[in-house]
Amino acid sequence: MLSSAAGSAQQSASRALRDSARARLARLDGTATLPGLDSAVEVRRDRWGVPHIYARTQRDLFMAQGYVAAQDRLWQMEMWRRTGEGRLAEALGPAFVERDRIARLLRYRGDVRGEWASYAPDARAIVHAFVDGVNAYIAQVRDRPPIEFDLLGIRPEPWGYEVPLQRMGALAMTGNATSELDHARLVAAVGAERAAALWPPDPTRPLDPAPGLDLGAIDFAALAALRATFGGVGYPRVEGSNNWVVSGARTASGKPLLANDPHRTIALPSLRYLTHLVGPGWNVIGAGEPGVPGVAAGHNERVAFGFTIVGMDQQDLYVERVGACRAGGALVNQGPTRCSLYRGAWTPLQTLLDTIPVKGGPPRVVRLEFTRHGPIVGEDSARGMAYALRFVGSEPGTAGYLAQLSLGRARDWASFREAARRWKLPTENLVYADVDGNIGWVAAGLMPLRSWSGMLPVPGWEGKYEWRGFLPFDSLPSTYNPPGGAIVTANNNILPPGYRHALSYEWAPPFRHDRVRQLLDSGSKYTVADFERFQHDEYSVAASKLVPLVDGVTGLQWARGWDFVMSRHLQAPLYYELWLQQLGRRVFEPAAGAGWSTMRNHWQADDLIRVVTTPETTFFGPNPIAGRDSALRLAYQDALREVRRQMAAVHERTDSARVSAVDADRETTWGDVHRAPFRHPLAAAFDLPSVPRGGDGNTVNATGGANFLQTAGASFREVIDLADWDNSTATSTPGQSGQPGSLHYGDLLALWASGRYFPLAYSRARVERETAHVLTLVPR
């Protein structure tokens, strides 16, 4: 407990921080100079902070987008740039050196001309204009930037034109390398057959450890830096996606409706940024990421589009033999150049020396080495082994989301498919609707062709495990105007029956997809309001399957009368979630044995339903039914104890007088425990209040995360009405601006928390009615 004096000092320091932050807010009204413009650009920010940018030339349009994005998100964009360039240690200290080394290893070093041509014919010009706009704002605020720069003791630096080409932004969305490591650890602990039973591939196939490769000998500690790179940046602090589209035959308007809620990290500031771009060849509105020009999910004058992750396997981890260079068995090189073994010959590694600046310490000189398979991301020098990552990010055209520069200008299904052809990373279920009434879907991405599963690390020295090119775009799954007039994807297995290419063996459980299908089949003549309600649906298909099955064995008193809706206002979902965790442990831990430390992070509710429904000796011993029933009873007892602990924790956070006046068992609800926090990465003074959440990781309103906190899900949602663009709606959180003290820093949080939307104003007349700020950007 803070003393009165200490508390007063802390409050005073917080006020000073907030005052300093407000003094640096970007100008939203009046006139600002943007050197390099051809003519004046009008920026109308609506009541919800969405900028509507009107320009007379394409160059002006994207210069203005870069400038405006930097006004709202400069510090976020700076750290995104540093993440991609491998310059976090310069701002955050020595703990980030290894992460920076991985980022530098994964930097694109291929054909620059092919890189630019891959996205759109004019991609280079657009990116250059966008970066020029970012740099113009940096030049204006460099001596007095957003408060976070002062807290870290850095200054914003001009961007190079290559910054939006970085690969790190999409790395975690192609995370098969970490999955391969976990599969290897599990196989080493329990064998391939049991590992496949515990963590079943989908489609079903045996795990295929490479003969002669000892998976147990992999130095997992040496790969810790690679694994950390797939996560978010941890700052020193003063502390699955859904989309669906239906044809006009199923809507009240007679035109298609498209819904999309892409799931990523729930954070402050938000990952997503909404923009409306109006200029020659452009009239597109929607959300993207602030460091990339264009819009990833939204609509133009003719076409609406959205996305969810497919999850194609775009990575492979190779175990390499490395050492001094030899020829015919004789040592030929003991100098700095090393070699890797390949098909009986020692081949020199490509080597670069690089220097990483480090805050609070001397610069680190790092050695960047590459085998024919890719960069060496970890090494076991005692065994003469290294680990190389092959990643599609080394191919031209794989900067995350830049293909949206083509997508945003699609006019019909043919041009949409051509735009999707350019989309290589991350892999996406791109859904489509147009004003003529057509709907469609493409699973877009650059998919390697292999002769093995790709689920485990493989030896690099044999030459047997090489990519055989990439799956042609026209061989990827797609559909156009399907019978039934509806398309749904939710990170589930989207492989059509009989499809012969295993794009992945890991998918999200089918529950969200199945529930959306149930909702779409429950009626007809849908409206925007219906789809808004569907996006916030909290009915648990998993609970509806599992609870009745188990109730006969254990008598789940808390489930009596529960309708399987994970409402934040109810207590039953709290019991269910705690019981589900304990049941998973009781079922999978005995079967996993030494592999439980790995398996505990990978079992899913659909696996649990399958195992409990058809008990087998693998999981429950020689008498599987009795073993299953014992596990169910023990899990129930475990859960009751955990519920009491959670309730006590909630009561510690609440006013003791209020708690003493009520029945504690009746008062604690799912929303008391399950909350979405909005903590500023650097300063508690800029935190926003956490909000209670319903749903869980398996409901359409996906609200998953560790320790019952919602740390992932839909920070942005859209429902697009092809009959009337102005009738389209969106929701986002916590606000458009990342600047503490801004009117738009947290103004969308209350709407998001209560499932309410704001209009996605599109027509000039509607934008003018909703305008709150007008900024005119003028050339010097």
Side-chain angles (χ1 to χ4, degrees):
M1 186 71 114
L2 287 174
S3 68
S4 175
S8 177
Q10 188 178 68
Q11 291 176 5
S12 178
S14 293
R15 280 196 300 271
L17 269 180
R18 289 192 289 267
D19 289 345
S20 182
R22 280 192 291 269
R24 301 156 188 257
L25 292 180
R27 175 184 296 176
L28 305 186
D29 294 282
T31 301
T33 301
L34 178 47
L37 287 177
D38 297 321
S39 58
V41 175
E42 184 181 38
V43 181
R44 289 180 170 268
R45 280 181 170 87
D46 63 28
R47 293 189 286 136
W48 303 277
V50 178
H52 303 260
I53 303 173
Y54 298 88
R56 293 186 178 90
T57 70
Q58 178 173 275
R59 172 170 170 75
D60 284 358
L61 182 64
F62 285 98
M63 279 192 71
Q65 187 187 12
Y67 184 92
V68 167
Q71 281 191 302
D72 284 330
R73 302 288 187 91
L74 181 59
W75 177 70
Q76 181 187 30
M77 293 165 69
E78 168 73 11
M79 300 314 291
W80 179 82
R81 177 180 71 85
R82 286 178 174 272
T83 299
E85 292 181 344
R87 294 183 58 200
L88 287 171
E90 187 177 11
L92 301 176
F96 288 84
V97 168
E98 278 303 296
R99 184 178 181 125
D100 283 350
R101 184 181 69 85
I102 299 292
R104 292 168 187 237
L105 282 166
L106 295 177
R107 187 177 299 165
Y108 179 71
R109 294 178 170 87
D111 172 27
V112 175
R113 182 175 297 179
E115 167 81 347
W116 286 116
S118 180
Y119 306 113
D122 53 1
R124 186 196 294 260
I126 290 172
V127 169
H128 282 208
F130 180 85
V131 169
D132 287 345
V134 173
N135 287 339
Y137 188 70
I138 289 173
Q140 290 176 10
V141 302
R142 180 171 170 78
D143 294 331
R144 194 165 175 76
I147 187 67
E148 290 91 348
F149 288 91
D150 280 5
L151 293 176
L152 288 177
I154 61 175
R155 283 291 178 264
E157 296 182 3
W159 284 27
Y161 292 131
E162 76 285 348
V163 169
L165 302 180
Q166 62 130 307
R167 273 27 180 187
M168 296 300 290
L171 178 69
M173 290 173 279
T174 60
N176 183 257
T178 58
S179 180
E180 286 184 27
L181 289 173
D182 287 344
H183 268 117
R185 195 191 298 266
L186 190 59
V187 169
V190 303
E193 185 175 350
R194 182 170 289 256
L198 288 165
W199 186 1
D202 180 16
T204 301
R205 67 161 292 163
L207 287 175
D208 51 351
L213 180 64
D214 183 0
L215 295 176
I218 290 176
D219 187 348
F220 296 101
L223 290 157
L226 175 67
R227 186 181 292 277
T229 304
F230 285 83
V233 176
Y235 293 93
R237 181 182 145 91
V238 185
E239 165 108 304
S241 310
N242 309 306
N243 63 25
W244 62 90
V245 59
V246 299
S247 71
R250 307 188 65 172
T251 68
S253 70
K255 291 287 188 179
L257 287 173
L258 183 148
N260 188 201
D261 52 301
H263 300 171
R264 290 278 297 281
T265 300
I266 300 293
L268 174 63
S270 174
L271 172 75
R272 310 292 181 189
Y273 185 71
L274 283 82
T275 316
H276 183 189
L277 302 169
V278 186
W282 292 88
N283 190 357
V284 62
I285 188 170
E289 297 187 14
V292 183
V295 165
H299 71 84
N300 58 33
E301 292 168 323
R302 288 191 48 81
V303 166
F305 46 93
F307 62 89
T308 69
I309 290 291
V310 176
M312 296 178 195
D313 181 356
Q314 295 184 305
Q315 298 173 358
D316 280 305
L317 196 65
Y318 289 81
V319 182
E320 307 276 19
R321 290 181 177 169
V322 297
C325 298
R326 299 175 180 271
L331 188 66
V332 296
N333 190 333
Q334 289 181 295
T337 300
R338 300 192 300 165
C339 285
S340 63
L341 186 64
Y342 186 74
R343 292 182 175 172
W346 290 90
T347 305
L349 300 175
Q350 290 182 297
T351 304
L352 298 172
L353 290 181
D354 204 350
T355 301
I356 299 177
V358 181
K359 182 178 183 178
R364 299 278 185 90
V365 177
V366 293
R367 191 180 188 87
L368 308 179
E369 295 179 309
F370 305 81
T371 74
R372 68 178 55 245
H373 299 117
I376 292 179
V377 294
E379 186 165 357
D380 180 355
S381 56
R383 290 189 176 93
M385 297 292 184
Y387 308 101
L389 178 67
R390 182 145 196 202
F391 171 42
V392 299
S394 64
E395 300 295 323
T398 52
Y401 296 104
L402 259 187
Q404 67 195 33
L405 295 179
S406 292
L407 203 68
R409 289 178 282 184
R411 310 299 293 173
D412 52 27
W413 177 243
S415 56
F416 181 83
R417 280 187 59 86
E418 285 306 303
R421 188 183 300 273
R422 298 177 180 273
W423 196 292
K424 299 176 182 178
L425 186 73
T427 65
E428 301 284 8
N429 291 294
L430 299 175
V431 291
Y432 165 93
D434 65 36
V435 293
D436 297 324
N438 302 298
I439 63 174
W441 157 72
V442 179
L446 190 62
M447 176 63 198
L449 293 171
R450 301 177 179 85
S451 59
W452 72 104
S453 72
M455 288 188 283
L456 290 163
V458 292
W461 61 85
E462 293 183 352
K464 297 178 181 177
Y465 299 93
E466 306 298 335
W467 290 1
R468 297 179 289 107
F470 299 95
L471 188 64
F473 174 80
D474 291 331
S475 296
L476 292 168
S478 66
T479 190
Y480 182 59
N481 289 333
I487 299 166
V488 180
T489 82
N491 315 121
N492 56 296
N493 186 339
I494 46 80
L495 303 180
Y499 187 71
R500 63 188 184 90
H501 302 288
L503 304 181
S504 175
Y505 292 99
E506 298 174 70
W507 312 90
F511 305 124
R512 287 183 283 118
H513 169 272
D514 293 351
R515 178 56 178 168
V516 173
R517 282 286 181 185
Q518 286 179 5
L519 292 167
L520 293 178
D521 291 343
S522 65
S524 61
K525 306 307 178 186
Y526 293 114
T527 64
V528 167
D530 291 325
F531 278 16
E532 291 176 352
R533 177 167 50 85
F534 292 175
Q535 285 185 328
H536 287 87
D537 183 82
E538 294 174 349
Y539 179 85
S540 173
V541 173
S544 73
K545 293 177 179 292
L546 195 55
V547 170
L549 176 71
V550 174
D551 191 33
V553 177
T554 60
L556 304 177
Q557 297 300 319
W558 50 264
R560 296 288 185 263
W562 183 37
D563 59 3
F564 310 119
V565 174
M566 301 290 293
S567 168
R568 67 177 184 267
H569 303 296
L570 298 178
Q571 194 173 71
L574 171 59
Y575 277 91
Y576 167 73
E577 287 292 331
L578 293 166
W579 169 72
L580 187 68
Q581 285 191 354
Q582 298 300 327
L583 183 57
R585 181 178 65 84
R586 287 289 183 179
V587 167
F588 290 110
E589 185 174 15
W596 174 242
S597 61
T598 300
M599 186 61 207
R600 69 188 306 164
N601 299 317
H602 290 289
W603 70 267
Q604 301 192 79
D606 56 335
D607 300 320
L608 187 58
I609 291 168
R610 170 181 54 83
V611 170
V612 172
T613 303
T614 56
E616 299 176 352
T617 57
T618 299
F619 295 93
F620 301 114
N623 189 340
I625 293 178
R628 177 200 64 183
D629 292 352
S630 174
L632 297 179
R633 283 189 288 268
L634 290 170
Y636 185 58
Q637 294 166 11
D638 295 340
L640 290 178
R641 285 191 292 270
E642 182 61 18
V643 164
R644 286 191 288 270
R645 192 183 72 79
Q646 289 289 340
M647 288 179 173
V650 168
H651 296 161
E652 287 179 8
R653 299 196 300 265
T654 58
D655 180 72
S656 57
R658 181 174 63 85
V659 170
S660 64
V662 298
D663 180 341
D665 282 352
R666 290 179 58 81
E667 197 224 353
T668 305
T669 65
W670 177 223
D672 292 325
V673 174
H674 185 46
R675 305 184 71 85
F678 290 90
R679 305 172 75 218
H680 187 276
L682 295 177
F686 304 139
D687 286 353
L688 295 173
S690 68
V691 293
R693 305 296 287 154
D696 69 0
N698 290 316
T699 54
V700 177
N701 184 23
T703 58
N707 302 316
F708 300 112
L709 296 178
Q710 182 187 357
T711 54
S715 63
F716 159 77
R717 295 180 174 90
E718 63 175 5
V719 179
I720 308 298
D721 187 348
L722 278 290
D724 178 1
W725 297 126
D726 282 339
N727 196 42
S728 303
T729 60
T731 183
S732 188
T733 198
Q736 279 281 94
S737 175
Q739 286 198 271
S742 166
L743 293 172
H744 301 298
Y745 179 67
D747 58 327
L748 301 180
L749 175 55
L751 289 174
W752 179 85
S754 58
R756 291 177 290 152
Y757 290 67
F758 57 86
L760 202 57
Y762 186 68
S763 71
R764 176 75 190 205
R766 182 64 184 270
V767 170
E768 289 182 356
R769 287 203 305 271
E770 305 293 0
T771 294
H773 310 278
V774 180
L775 178 68
T776 303
L777 302 176
V778 297
R780 177 174 293 168

